[in-house]
Amino acid sequence: MTTVESISDIQLAIKAELEKNTYFTTHGVDILIENAKDIEYQIKSAMGNLGTVITVSTPSLTYSGNLPGPVGEDEKSPFWTLNSIQIVTVENPTLNRGRANYSTALDTALQIAETIHQIPTMCNVTIAQTTMNGLVVVTVTVKSTAVFELAKQEL
């Protein structure tokens, strides 16, 4: 079982997996995590420069109970199940499609699905598209079977 320090570690791991796919850099698509400082500014900046941005959202988790601690310790460790995570692509078609080597929001989402589906604990990928204020928004929802331990935080 994997131990993570924080929920952001899950987002960063997904982002790192996506960054291995050269499609996104080749097509000028920024990848952000929702937990980043000043995320609104980062999204607006990426949209203004490139026209397309990916945001890895905060995952949906379920508390799954406690596991016994190391041998000889009475302390138990909490563990969690990662239910799903949404990865959202937002495209400004007017800006994005006017530049060379662009990728539409839907093409980007298909690359996300192909990349994420290769992670063994990620399964059942769905894609949904909508428009909002002239932007194309495509959400990739990935169901998961991953179980992990969240490191104890000092209070």
Side-chain angles (χ1 to χ4, degrees):
M1 177 180 339
T2 304
T3 300
V4 296
E5 294 296 318
S6 70
I7 302 303
S8 294
D9 287 351
I10 297 168
Q11 292 172 295
L12 290 169
I14 298 291
K15 180 183 181 203
E17 201 61 37
L18 292 172
E19 288 173 335
K20 291 178 188 176
N21 184 335
T22 58
Y23 178 90
F24 305 114
T25 53
T26 301
H27 291 84
V29 179
D30 274 355
I31 304 170
L32 308 173
I33 63 167
E34 188 178 58
N35 259 2
K37 291 182 180 177
D38 205 1
I39 187 66
E40 284 186 41
Y41 171 79
Q42 290 182 22
I43 291 171
K44 286 177 184 176
S45 177
M47 292 293 295
N49 293 332
L50 304 170
T52 307
V53 64
I54 296 169
T55 304
V56 180
S57 299
T58 303
S60 167
L61 307 169
T62 299
Y63 178 72
S64 300
N66 289 319
L67 291 176
V71 178
E73 290 186 19
D74 292 333
E75 200 170 324
K76 296 186 181 249
S77 301
F79 69 102
W80 297 81
T81 301
L82 174 61
N83 300 318
S84 65
I85 191 160
Q86 291 186 327
I87 304 162
V88 181
T89 301
V90 179
E91 175 194 10
N92 178 335
T94 305
L95 181 60
N96 184 48
R97 297 178 191 188
R99 64 183 177 88
N101 209 23
Y102 71 87
S103 175
T104 67
L106 188 55
D107 289 340
T108 301
L110 291 171
Q111 284 294 317
I112 292 168
E114 284 183 26
T115 303
I116 295 302
H117 192 64
Q118 295 176 31
I119 301 172
T121 59
M122 300 294 182
C123 54
N124 193 9
V125 177
T126 59
I127 298 174
Q129 178 175 318
T130 189
T131 56
M132 185 180 349
N133 300 324
L135 302 175
V136 178
V137 180
V138 181
T139 303
V140 177
T141 303
V142 185
K143 301 288 184 185
S144 176
T145 58
V147 176
F148 63 93
E149 178 182 12
L150 187 59
K152 292 188 179 178
Q153 306 294 317
E154 295 294 322
L155 299 178

